[in-house]
Amino acid sequence: MKGKHIGWIVLIAVGLSAPFLVYPVLVMKILCFALFACAFNLLLGYTGLLSFGHAAFLGWAGYVCGYGVKELGFSPELGILAGTATGAALGFVFGSLAIRRAGIYFAMVTLALAQLVYFLALQFPFTGGEDGLQGVPRGHLFGFIDLSDTMNMYFFVLAVFLVGFWIIDRAIHSPFGQVLTAIRENEPRAISLGYDVDKYKLLAFVLSAGLSGLAGATKTLVFQLASLTDVHWHMSGEIVLMTLLGGMGTVFGPIVGATVVVGLQNYGAELGQWVTVLTGVIFVLCVLAFRRGIVGELALLIKRSGIRM
Amino acid sequence: MQFSFHQQRQDLKDAMSTDYILQTRDLTKEFKGFVAVDKVNLQVRRGTIHALIGPNGAGKTTVFNLLTKFLTPTRGSIHFNSHDITHEKSAQIARRGVVRSFQISAVFPHLSVLENVRIALQRKLGTSFHFWRSAKSLDVLNGRAMELLESVDLQSFADTMTVELPYGRKRALEIATTLALEPELMLLDEPTQGMGHEDVGRVADLIKRVSENRTVLMVEHNLSVVSHICDTITVLQRGAVLAEGPYEVVSADPRVLEAYMGTEHG
């Protein structure tokens, strides 16, 4: 419990000071991916379901938010809500179909559905196809906070992230989260205790997809762009990497994972294509030697050294 | 002690001699032409401990999986308290009060011992979908959970991570978790399997203790356990019922001796 409080304090302190130390747009990007990874972790780390189609929720939420704000005159908050709803609705469809299968088949169904909506995004005229949806205005939050100001935008993104992260943290430590953990640990036993596990998995899936949508919609406002990159299956793979690297099944792990991967992509940009190789090497190292991820291994070290968290 | 227990059971049985809690009619399961369970008519009397025995591959666990709908029967029907439950889902059957255990210990390894029992208790609160509510709201169940842990001598392990418990203790925890649901009918799949000598005795005593006011159907290999605590024994062989009755009768049946116990008694 105490360790978690320290984690929250560090998180807020870093969140408040980061834009004065680092390029704010980079921090906003990290925050969006961190939220995305945390939402993904709710499913992978706490329910034991490996989705390989989460890019669909991130990307489509971005398109709906972007289109709403740019073409329909939505306010930024309405655009974000619309994006979140899109993620949740898509999650309901994906989840309903995929949870009938387990393991690798579950992952394949989510991947297939994500590919399907990728091609829809490529073909529909309103998404801008290969060009994407460009020049999305950031607008005025609640009608009076000008989001074209970078610092205003930053603190708005930080607030969105903290709210999203709080919801995930709470869901993990709720009666619902207890049942999810039970399902992850021993599904037949959870069934034999009278739980309709499919309903719990579906709610977890919808929550995860909705929060991924929140991340995607926010990201669109930050970059004023919704593009195919975010619906592409590479993105679904990247989020697995971030979550595993940071530590799946740990509350703060995905944030660390997202920071490392996004930071690496940003500062390693001058290395060109070699960044991909570097990320690959890190991923292999992580899977071979640090199975618990950065936060998971740290937590184990602290536990072994006898400090109570 | 042993005698009075059996006497009590006998009285209970006489009082409810025709009251069957669970019945199957021609229960059959085929896997691509292989008949794993062949027209099994099982009748479990309320308030008894009923054992299902038989050589390896006789179909005991398959019967369990059919009864709890972890497998779907090819033919036949299952009746619990005179309700036809053949077409119900596993979780539904559990909520009716038929709760099973598994051959390998079925615990939640990365939850604490207390949380394991609480998972079973929390369904009744009706808040299991409430993802916005703090897990602290489950603390009201801690008292009852501790009582259940005390009943299987696990109270001192309440905060232990379950994965760290020795095997025998895990089986005890599993029984406590099952008891939390106050099942009318407990299905125990080899509760003493893989246990050391002292643990076997402890778990057998435990089963006898918790079987008051409920019915137990168990798959068991350990014949000393079966002979000590079970009222009725059904012997399965190649998926079909070979013999049925109290231990004295079944153990004297030449067909059973040949098929199953012949090797036991040399």
Side-chain angles (χ1 to χ4, degrees), chain B residues 195-263:
Chain B
M195 275 186 194
H197 210 64
E198 34 329 319
D199 279 341
V200 169
R202 183 144 44 114
V203 169
D205 284 343
L206 180 60
I207 293 168
K208 201 159 74 177
R209 205 151 24 99
V210 301
S211 69
E212 281 172 48
N213 309 320
R214 51 185 120 244
T215 314
V216 176
L217 173 64
M218 59 195 274
V219 169
E220 184 55 67
H221 272 302
N222 189 319
L223 289 181
S224 85
V225 171
V226 171
S227 64
H228 275 103
I229 68 173
C230 297
D231 304 289
T232 312
I233 294 157
T234 301
V235 186
L236 282 184
Q237 190 195 19
R238 294 193 201 103
V241 175
L242 185 67
E244 193 170 72
Y247 183 76
E248 299 76 38
V249 176
V250 167
S251 61
D253 190 316
R255 289 170 304 167
V256 175
L257 285 175
E258 191 198 328
Y260 181 63
M261 291 166 189
T263 53

Side-chain angles (χ1 to χ4, degrees), chain A residues 126-186:
Chain A
F126 87 93
T127 61
E130 302 271 5
D131 299 331
L133 206 60
Q134 297 182 8
V136 177
R138 284 179 179 175
H140 288 70
L141 182 66
F142 306 126
F144 68 95
I145 303 171
D146 183 8
L147 292 181
S148 59
D149 177 271
T150 306
M151 277 309 176
N152 286 350
M153 187 67 203
Y154 177 80
F155 286 106
F156 173 55
V157 173
L158 181 64
V160 167
F161 168 79
L162 288 176
V163 169
F165 182 63
W166 181 82
I167 293 173
I168 292 164
D169 186 30
R170 175 41 69 88
I172 290 167
H173 301 100
S174 71
F176 176 66
Q178 287 280 302
V179 179
L180 290 187
T181 310
I183 293 172
R184 180 195 69 189
E185 295 278 292
N186 193 331

